[in-house]
Amino acid sequence: MTYYDDLVNDKKRVSAFKKAIDAKANGITYDLGTGSGILATIASENADIVYAIESNPLILKKTRSNFKDYDNINLIKTDATCYEFREIPDTIICEMLDTALIDEEQIPVINNAHKYSNNKTIFIPQGVKNTIKLTNSKINYIQYYEDGYPKHEVLSDEVEYSTIDFTQINDENVDITVKLKATKDGIINSVMITTYTHLCDDLTIGPTPMLNPPLIIPVNHIDVKKDDVIDVHLKYIMGGGLNTIQTTIMRN
């Protein structure tokens, strides 16, 4: 089973996107980073035409086969970060998502799309919210939290540190300091970032097996007592990859 099969088989992820697409997709629709094409086929039911954009040659043959029964889907092999839109979009679908938008090109792609959209263009999803909390874990490198691993202890409340709105252009560079209060005594040696995806209206979805699993990032060790305030400095490039992450903590 391939990565794209796993995406399609994540029923929670697909059903949430289907609900948003069924409610909002219309007219001229672009599916940026279409992958296997599952979201494009859903959009085709209400759109006049769907331009499905994909650059990965390893998936294109299967994607083309998946579209063979859809007359209003046009598959285009190109890089969505620099694609020149053929028509002004009524709807833009882009599920190039990753936790905190670090390891996928959602923001570069959406920023490019804004060159061709207008104030009536609908974006699915509309944006994301990112949160952070202090943790203790036994990791030596950045890891996604999946299926209960890596084990960790939470040492603070979850605090929102950023909201990204896809209906506007966003700076790809993140450089922020967040204050977190310890909720118990312990040793802080990592932080956990969680991303919540706002699809449309009142529809927001948290992490699923194939959508934004929480990210645990090792940091310098600090012994804390309950109610100690810790400053977490986060720096990374959205779309730049996990190797752009720089994180340090210090007692306030």
Side-chain angles (χ1 to χ4, degrees), residues 136-147:
N136 176 275
S137 60
K138 296 180 179 180
I139 62 171
N140 297 314
Y141 56 91
I142 297 170
Q143 292 183 240
Y144 289 101
Y145 177 65
E146 301 175 274
D147 300 324

Side-chain angles (χ1 to χ4, degrees), residues 15-252:
S15 63
F17 270 88
K18 184 179 189 308
K19 185 174 181 180
I21 291 169
D22 284 347
K24 296 294 183 179
N26 72 96
I28 299 166
T29 295
Y30 287 80
D31 181 24
L32 307 177
T34 195
S36 66
I38 180 67
L39 302 185
T41 61
I42 295 170
S44 71
E45 298 177 14
N46 295 309
D48 295 330
I49 185 168
V50 179
Y51 294 109
I53 312 302
E54 181 57 49
S55 64
N56 186 349
L58 300 178
I59 189 65
L60 283 170
K61 183 177 180 180
K62 182 175 182 179
T63 306
R64 190 170 287 106
S65 176
N66 291 342
F67 289 162
K68 66 180 186 300
D69 295 325
Y70 295 87
D71 294 336
N72 64 337
I73 299 179
N74 188 345
L75 178 61
I76 301 171
K77 180 182 181 300
T78 192
D79 183 349
T81 63
C82 55
Y83 172 65
E84 297 181 6
F85 284 40
R86 297 180 175 184
E87 301 181 70
I88 296 174
D90 296 298
T91 313
I92 291 175
I93 302 166
C94 185
E95 201 281 72
M96 297 179 70
L97 300 171
D98 184 72
T99 311
L101 309 177
I102 301 172
D103 207 35
E104 293 281 353
E105 294 184 312
Q106 180 85 8
I107 291 300
V109 167
I110 291 296
N111 284 350
N112 178 65
H114 274 288
K115 299 174 185 176
Y116 309 96
S117 63
N118 58 31
N119 59 10
K120 295 182 180 180
T121 301
I122 294 169
F123 288 81
I124 304 173
Q126 293 180 354
V128 300
K129 176 180 76 174
N130 298 314
T131 68
I132 189 170
K133 50 192 173 186
L134 304 171
T135 56
N136 176 275
S137 60
K138 296 180 179 180
I139 62 171
N140 297 314
Y141 56 91
I142 297 170
Q143 292 183 240
Y144 289 101
Y145 177 65
E146 301 175 274
D147 300 324
Y149 296 97
K151 298 290 186 183
H152 62 279
E153 178 185 13
V154 176
L155 295 170
S156 75
D157 292 331
E158 184 177 20
V159 173
E160 180 180 338
Y161 74 86
S162 75
T163 299
I164 308 298
D165 182 357
F166 297 150
T167 67
Q168 59 186 2
I169 294 174
N170 289 277
D171 187 348
E172 297 168 16
N173 296 285
V174 175
D175 191 343
I176 190 170
T177 298
V178 188
K179 294 185 183 297
L180 295 167
K181 182 183 287 189
T183 53
K184 62 177 76 172
D185 297 354
I187 300 173
I188 301 166
N189 61 14
S190 55
V191 295
M192 174 183 277
I193 294 177
T194 305
T195 295
Y196 301 86
T197 305
H198 180 49
L199 290 161
C200 69
D201 301 331
D202 59 352
L203 178 57
T204 298
I205 183 173
T208 75
M210 293 301 295
L211 180 66
N212 303 335
L215 194 62
I216 301 181
I217 305 168
V219 296
N220 50 300
H221 294 206
I222 293 183
D223 292 330
V224 293
K225 298 292 186 182
K226 182 181 177 182
D227 295 330
D228 282 352
V229 176
I230 302 298
D231 286 345
V232 181
H233 182 214
L234 277 175
K235 188 175 182 180
Y236 55 82
I237 300 173
M238 292 188 288
L242 299 181
N243 62 338
T244 67
I245 298 174
Q246 300 176 45
T247 308
T248 56
I249 64 172
M250 63 183 298
R251 200 181 307 277
N252 184 263

